[in-house]
Amino acid sequence: MRHRRPTKPSPELQRHRQVRADYLRDLARIQGKADPSPPSPREIPPEERCTTCGGPTFVMSYGRVCSLGLHDG
């Protein structure tokens, strides 16, 4: 089975998307809605941190594993 490369959007479609994005942005500004800001990163409790590097961990059947994957242990 061949993999099909995605086709490049036509100039008409690109313009349509840009006009729509501009419209929605201006509408949100008129309605007084703030631009969506990214959520603040979750604070990791000390018991969920890696003891070696301090990064986040995830639970496996045999214990917690560093999710950064940079080291063993």
Side-chain angles (χ1 to χ4, degrees):
M1 187 159 125
R2 282 189 182 205
H3 294 284
R4 215 174 73 98
R5 289 179 52 185
T7 58
K8 183 178 176 185
S10 69
E12 295 164 354
L13 181 60
Q14 290 176 341
R15 176 156 167 67
H16 170 76
R17 288 178 179 167
Q18 186 61 48
V19 168
R20 181 166 162 69
D22 292 344
Y23 170 77
L24 292 174
R25 184 191 66 236
D26 292 343
L27 181 63
R29 191 178 71 226
I30 290 170
Q31 292 176 342
K33 296 180 183 173
D35 290 334
S37 58
S40 59
R42 183 175 85 84
E43 186 63 33
I44 302 170
E47 62 273 5
E48 292 181 13
R49 290 188 175 274
C50 176
T51 56
T52 304
C53 69
T57 59
F58 58 90
V59 178
M60 296 293 287
S61 61
Y62 50 86
R64 291 198 164 272
V65 177
C66 179
S67 62
L68 300 177
L70 301 176
H71 55 83
D72 292 334

